[in-house]
Amino acid sequence: MTLETVSTSKAHRGTLGVYKHESTSTGTGMTFSVFLPPQAAEAGAKLPVLVYLSGLTCTHANVTDKGEYRKACTDLGIVFVAPDTSPRGEGVADDADAAYDFGLGAGFYVNATQEPFAQHYRMWDYIAEELPALLGANFPVDLDRMGITGHSMGGHGALTLGLTYPDKFKSLSAFAPIVAPGQVPWGHKALGGYLGDDRAAWRKHDAVALIEDGKRPAGAVLVDQGEADGFLAEQLRPELLDAVCKAAGVDLTLRLQPGYDHSYNFISTFMDDHIRWHAERL
């Protein structure tokens, strides 16, 4: 579990660090960022931690640079962690046509079973098991107070991991998530490519299907969605999540935000709300 420190800098009285390590899950080097609020410097500190999963084409750096989470994390004493979205490096398979929605930067937070992706594309294990263990061994975090959030593809990952591991992820939210990949083009491509044609396997990585099949989050769920999002009608389909949550009695707060698109202008606007949502529950 040896970490290499890539960089550190002071921000909002805390410390933003970028770290590398050799992953046992993916068999590659992986990079992630951690913001430690100033409370982390106190003797014996064990702080709640929020994991943020990014969307298609992103690395850890997108939210690290543009997410506007630091002040809220300092105010509330939250550690903020941003992993990469896929394995990378020499020998890691990519989409044959280098498409943005599959392969590098588009791991979809699953353990791939199909070649040539099965060897390295094991982001499910990385987020659920390896990353929390790394955080617990190297940072002043309380893993019994861990939440998860994310954007778009990362919102899909947050919802599916939060539903599958409610004892691990005690709070849950998402920005413009892909809620039902089994019913939309992005999901058909990704789940088919990584998991094959068996749609029963897809259901374990589809938030709507997981709720239909009896999975429940640790508590209430917050989702923000921009109404001017160009992916809303075809790829995101928040109404499907709303309907299944109502049918199952899941406490979902779905906020449709007029005029907002799919960008970090949208995410950064509502990030403070999400940090506070998690802080109340952690």
Side-chain angles (χ1 to χ4, degrees):
M1 289 192 179
T2 301
L3 291 184
E4 173 190 346
T5 300
V6 177
S7 66
T8 60
S9 60
K10 189 169 183 176
H12 290 277
R13 297 184 290 116
T15 302
L16 176 62
V18 178
Y19 305 93
K20 287 183 177 179
H21 70 105
E22 291 301 315
S23 169
T24 56
S25 299
T26 68
T28 67
M30 295 293 289
T31 301
F32 63 94
S33 70
V34 177
F35 177 72
L36 296 174
Q39 296 90 333
E42 298 173 3
K46 288 288 184 180
L47 301 181
V49 56
L50 178 60
V51 176
Y52 175 96
L53 304 183
S54 293
L56 291 167
T57 76
C58 292
T59 69
H60 72 281
N62 296 75
V63 69
T64 299
D65 294 346
K66 299 183 288 187
E68 298 185 20
Y69 54 88
R70 299 172 187 86
K71 184 180 184 302
C73 287
T74 287
D75 290 345
L76 299 164
I78 301 284
V79 176
F80 190 94
V81 179
D84 204 346
T85 53
S86 78
R88 301 178 194 270
E90 185 176 353
V92 176
D94 195 5
D95 183 82
D97 299 318
Y100 78 95
D101 57 356
F102 190 78
L104 298 180
F108 268 82
Y109 304 101
V110 303
N111 286 342
T113 59
Q114 304 301 298
E115 297 301 337
F117 303 101
Q119 180 179 358
H120 298 299
Y121 283 77
R122 302 190 62 80
M123 292 299 295
W124 181 267
D125 283 354
Y126 182 73
I127 301 300
E129 303 295 340
E130 186 173 3
L131 183 62
L134 274 170
L135 297 173
N138 292 279
F139 300 96
V141 298
D142 181 356
L143 295 180
D144 289 329
R145 294 187 291 159
M146 182 167 57
I148 192 165
T149 187
H151 170 234
S152 194
M153 177 186 72
H156 139 76
L159 291 173
T160 55
L161 284 153
L163 286 164
T164 303
Y165 299 111
D167 293 338
K168 187 185 297 281
F169 298 108
K170 303 296 176 54
S171 58
L172 176 59
S173 75
F175 300 86
I178 307 169
V179 305
Q183 301 184 53
V184 301
W186 274 343
H188 290 170
K189 180 176 182 178
L191 299 185
Y194 291 133
L195 303 178
D197 295 332
D198 180 7
R199 295 209 171 201
W202 295 16
R203 295 185 68 83
K204 298 177 182 179
H205 297 284
D206 181 310
V208 168
L210 283 167
I211 293 170
E212 289 175 344
D213 293 345
K215 296 294 186 181
R216 298 292 182 266
V221 182
L222 172 64
V223 171
D224 273 304
Q225 172 64 62
E227 289 187 335
D229 189 322
F231 301 113
L232 176 60
E234 183 178 26
Q235 305 284 12
L236 304 178
R237 306 289 305 279
E239 73 279 1
L240 298 176
L241 182 65
D242 190 42
V244 76
C245 285
K246 286 177 178 174
V250 174
D251 185 359
L252 170 68
T253 298
L254 172 62
R255 306 193 305 186
L256 300 177
Q257 304 291 0
Y260 286 92
D261 60 16
H262 200 67
S263 73
Y264 269 87
N265 295 322
F266 156 66
I267 298 165
S268 64
T269 300
F270 299 102
M271 180 65 82
D272 189 89
D273 289 355
H274 284 247
I275 300 288
R276 294 182 184 280
W277 171 273
H278 288 274
E280 290 172 0
R281 290 156 178 79
L282 299 176

